[in-house]
Amino acid sequence: MKDTYYLDPRVAAGYDAEHEGREITRDDVPFYVGLAKGAAVQGQSVLELACGTGRVTLPIAAAGARVTGIDNSPAMLEVARSKSSGDNPRWVEADMTSFDLEERFGLALIPFRSFLHLLTTEDQKACLRRVHEHLVPGGRLALNFFNPDLVMMAGWLGARGRTRRLVEKQGEVERWERARYSPSGQTLDYEEMDERLSDADAVISRVYRNMRLRYVYRYEMEHLLALCGFEVEALYGWFDRRPFTDESREMVWLARRRAIPEQ
Ligand SMILES: C[S@@+](CC[C@H](N)C(=O)[O-])C[C@H]1O[C@@H](n2cnc3c(N)ncnc32)[C@H](O)[C@@H]1O
């Protein structure tokens, strides 16, 4: 099944409520807003890739930085637009592997693991090269994604990965999920199934959604960044800038644009 997860208007409509109050969505905003304020002080504007419903974009604009958010989901952008007015943020429907904007930015962001939606090395490089093209000399790129957790992945590799588990029941709708990892393809297939039940617990309707991510290891990312003209400034283990260690659940990257190396 093709990954159309974020194209679904029902996913877009429920996105903010679903992610509100999580540790990661609480802690990432001040980190990205802080970087954006630094760019704004220097008179530079900010570009956010895969901005979704504007969860990070809107606080950046509220902090006084000029920001453009791009996303390839009309449904997610519609929610973002409904929460803002005026020309800051600017919302653009575009793919993060092929966008082409007139403006040049001091800072580019790819928050909340969105880089993992790029499923091939070619797409990862295309995205980083688009970012490079859109940054001013010395401009910065900040992004985060999860640190592949081998113990958790191993748990899903056996029978558990073939079995759906009930995660919640809201009214008459039961949500089931399943996660399947492929260590050879470095992919995570996340499947969601919503079943609506009658009073007699008969299934009235069933909606399937799926999302595929390609997880990325630390040194793979270092190579990708170097190949596409970035120098790593820092790799943090969380948004409070603690060091990246064996215990880190997240990789929080800060990189700086330099000249693209000779091929
Ligand atoms: C996990 S959400 C993150 C949204 C937002 N950045 C946030 O932090 O809440 C991932 C977003 O990536 C977008 N996306 C996925 N692939 C994309 C692509 N190739 N180009 C642009 N946006 C993409 C989806 O539409 C979705 O809005």
Side-chain angles (χ1 to χ4, degrees):
M1 212 193 316
K2 198 172 176 323
D3 175 357
T4 52
Y5 194 83
Y6 286 111
L7 299 177
D8 185 335
R10 290 165 298 190
V11 169
Y15 180 87
D16 288 340
E18 188 156 328
H19 293 92
E20 202 181 352
R22 288 175 60 185
E23 188 187 11
I24 186 164
T25 52
R26 181 196 67 202
D27 291 355
D28 66 350
V29 172
F31 173 76
Y32 287 114
V33 168
L35 291 171
K37 279 184 182 166
V41 164
Q42 297 180 57
Q44 296 169 333
S45 49
V46 178
L47 173 65
E48 187 192 342
L49 274 60
C51 62
T53 60
R55 187 184 64 81
V56 178
T57 338
L58 289 160
I60 287 175
R66 289 204 60 78
V67 56
T68 296
I70 72 166
D71 201 283
N72 70 353
S73 161
M76 295 292 274
L77 285 174
E78 195 179 316
V79 175
R81 286 195 179 100
S82 74
K83 295 192 286 184
S84 65
S85 57
D87 60 358
N88 190 40
R90 174 167 68 123
W91 308 108
V92 178
E93 187 184 322
D95 196 285
M96 60 179 150
T97 60
S98 58
F99 62 97
D100 189 6
L101 309 171
E102 298 277 300
E103 199 173 345
R104 293 296 173 263
F105 303 86
L107 175 69
L109 312 173
I110 320 178
F112 209 13
R113 305 166 175 175
S114 301
F115 189 74
L116 306 188
H117 287 288
L118 302 174
L119 301 179
T120 64
T121 312
E122 283 317 306
D123 277 353
Q124 292 168 335
K125 288 192 292 187
C127 171
L128 292 175
R129 289 188 169 133
R130 288 288 77 214
V131 171
H132 191 279
E133 171 85 16
H134 284 79
L135 284 177
V136 298
R140 291 166 116 190
L141 165 66
L143 73 162
N144 71 283
F145 46 78
F146 63 80
N147 183 23
D149 177 341
L150 298 178
V151 175
M152 191 260 287
M153 281 158 59
W156 282 104
L157 276 181
R160 197 171 159 218
R162 293 191 292 277
T163 318
R164 290 195 178 89
R165 68 182 185 108
L166 181 63
V167 277
E168 63 177 1
K169 183 165 181 167
Q170 276 193 12
E172 67 278 24
V173 177
E174 284 185 347
R175 170 158 296 177
W176 297 76
E177 70 170 20
R178 174 164 65 179
R180 283 194 282 192
Y181 285 89
S182 161
S184 58
Q186 276 182 224
T187 50
L188 158 61
D189 282 297
Y190 169 73
E191 297 173 8
E192 215 171 72
M193 182 178 83
D194 286 347
E195 279 188 340
R196 186 171 293 277
L197 305 177
S198 72
D199 289 344
D201 279 347
V203 176
I204 300 170
S205 70
R206 186 177 283 152
V207 177
Y208 293 98
R209 294 186 197 95
N210 70 312
M211 182 201 296
R212 171 168 279 192
L213 299 178
R214 178 162 170 194
Y215 53 93
V216 176
Y217 288 99
R218 174 190 186 170
Y219 290 108
E220 177 183 7
M221 191 60 188
E222 286 203 6
H223 284 299
L224 274 172
L225 287 167
L227 193 66
C228 299
F230 291 91
E231 188 177 3
V232 175
E233 232 183 274
L235 169 60
Y236 302 116
W238 196 248
F239 303 97
D240 55 6
R241 300 185 185 233
R242 72 184 73 160
F244 181 73
T245 68
D246 291 346
E247 278 68 49
S248 300
R249 285 171 289 146
E250 205 69 15
M251 292 188 226
V252 182
W253 294 89
L254 197 52
R256 195 173 283 280
R257 180 194 195 273
R258 57 170 171 72
I260 287 220
E262 296 283 324
Q263 296 294 313

